[in-house]
């Protein structure tokens, strides 16, 4: 998942970005409204996490502007404003969810995953390809009923491909979803990550489900 975190508290923003990154998500940061507007204009985000009390443009002003411009990216408001009227106003203006500070990281992640599933029209979080079953909600992958242990980054790569089975994804598209604006640490990071993921998914003579399309990228499907 690639998300934009709009929060003026440096400490909270950086701690939250670090925690979400450890879970395998690509996180871009914005400390104020204009930076957030620019980021949404040029990047394709899965979700925006938006604080309301920001310097310059407020969170509600940003929300109103995005919805007026028909930006369809799911927006989760994350704020200390906990009055019922604040929640009603935020949701009425076009927010998709509303979470009050302080919050548990686990609840935030669960809500983000739910928003992503709803935005893509997938109520069922399970993807089945050949003998593999991928549960995007619980972040578990099994082959013939046996769980395959992946790192957070490896599962995010798998998720990126599994959400678009049968569609070729370019290295640049995968890199954007995995690393965000920070970019990959080395030029062949995606190729190295794909190689490591393949080895875990298809040891020995197990049939592969990730295939290379030379010059184009990678695709997840049962047959080459």
């Amino acid at each position: 998942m690639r998300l934009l975190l709009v929060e003026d508290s440096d400490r909270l923003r950086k701690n939250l970005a670090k925690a979400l990154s450890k879970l395998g998500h690509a996180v871009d940061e914005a400390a104020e409204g204009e930076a957030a507007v620019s980021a949404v204009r040029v990047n394709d985000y899965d979700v925006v996490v938006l604080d309301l009390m920001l310097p310059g443009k407020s969170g509600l002003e940003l929300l109103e502007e995005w919805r007026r411009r028909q930006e369809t990216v799911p927006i989760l408001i994350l704020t200390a404003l906990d009055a019922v009227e604040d929640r009603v106003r935020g949701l009425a203006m076009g927010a998709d969810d509303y979470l009050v500070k302080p919050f548990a990281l686990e609840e935030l992640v669960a809500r983000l995953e739910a928003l992503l599933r709803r935005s893509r029209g997938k109520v069922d979080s399970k993807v089945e390809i050949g003998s593999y079953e991928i549960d995007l909600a619980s972040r578990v992958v099994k082959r013939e009923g046996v769980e395959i242990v992946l790192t957070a980054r490896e599962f995010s790569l798998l998720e990126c491909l599994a959400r678009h089975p049968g569609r070729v994804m370019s290295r640049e598209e995968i890199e954007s979803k995995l690393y965000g604006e920070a970019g990959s640490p080395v030029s062949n990071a995606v190729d190295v990550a794909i190689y490591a993921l393949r080895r875990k998914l298809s040891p020995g003579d197990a049939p592969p489900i990730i295939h290379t399309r030379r010059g184009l990228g990678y695709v997840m499907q049962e047959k080459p």
Side-chain angles (χ1 to χ4, degrees):
M1 181 193 308
R2 184 178 183 185
L3 59 92
L4 175 64
L5 178 57
V6 189
E7 168 62 58
D8 67 326
S9 168
D10 288 342
R11 181 177 180 181
L12 175 59
R13 188 180 68 255
K14 292 185 181 303
N15 286 342
L16 189 53
K18 183 177 180 180
L20 291 170
S21 296
K22 283 185 177 180
L23 293 174
H25 303 298
V27 184
D28 294 343
E29 302 177 38
E32 46 83 26
E34 290 301 333
V37 169
S38 298
V40 169
R41 183 178 295 120
V42 300
N43 296 303
D44 181 21
Y45 292 108
D46 295 308
V47 182
V48 172
V49 178
L50 179 65
D51 185 20
L52 293 184
M53 296 182 288
L54 298 169
K57 287 187 176 181
S58 70
L60 287 179
E61 288 175 320
L62 290 176
L63 178 59
E64 182 180 31
E65 178 178 338
W66 285 330
R67 293 315 188 216
R68 186 176 64 249
R69 287 168 37 196
Q70 298 186 343
E71 292 283 359
T72 58
V73 60
I75 296 175
L76 183 148
I77 291 176
L78 186 65
T79 179
L81 300 177
D82 60 353
V84 172
E85 54 266 30
D86 292 320
R87 300 183 191 219
V88 170
R89 185 181 183 191
L91 294 171
M93 290 180 66
D96 298 274
D97 202 353
Y98 196 109
L99 184 60
V100 175
K101 304 172 185 176
F103 58 92
L105 178 64
E106 294 81 3
E107 181 179 3
L108 173 61
V109 171
R111 286 173 181 250
L112 292 175
E113 291 286 353
L115 283 180
L116 187 60
R117 291 196 299 274
R118 291 206 301 270
S119 70
R120 290 175 173 168
K122 291 186 178 180
V123 177
D124 188 355
S125 65
K126 292 185 179 180
V127 177
E128 295 185 5
I129 300 177
S131 59
Y132 296 83
E133 181 181 285
I134 305 164
D135 191 323
L136 301 175
S138 62
R139 298 178 71 81
V140 171
V141 56
K142 295 180 179 180
R143 176 176 174 267
E144 296 179 347
V146 179
E147 183 175 349
I148 300 171
V149 179
L150 302 178
T151 66
R153 182 71 68 185
E154 288 169 343
F155 191 89
S156 291
L157 173 56
L158 177 66
E159 178 183 20
C160 184
L161 295 166
R163 288 191 184 278
H164 308 281
R167 180 168 79 82
V168 177
M169 299 190 70
S170 69
R171 288 173 176 81
E172 293 76 14
E173 188 177 2
I174 295 172
E175 186 175 290
S176 172
K177 292 294 185 183
L178 290 183
Y179 301 102
E181 289 182 343
S184 60
V186 291
S187 60
N188 66 337
V190 171
D191 300 317
V192 172
I194 289 284
Y195 176 76
L197 180 59
R198 277 174 169 160
R199 291 189 64 183
K200 286 191 175 182
L201 290 177
S202 306
D205 60 352
I209 57 171
I210 299 176
H211 307 281
T212 303
R213 294 290 182 263
R214 193 170 299 277
L216 298 174
Y218 299 97
V219 60
M220 175 172 285
Q221 58 189 28
E222 186 174 0
K223 296 181 180 180

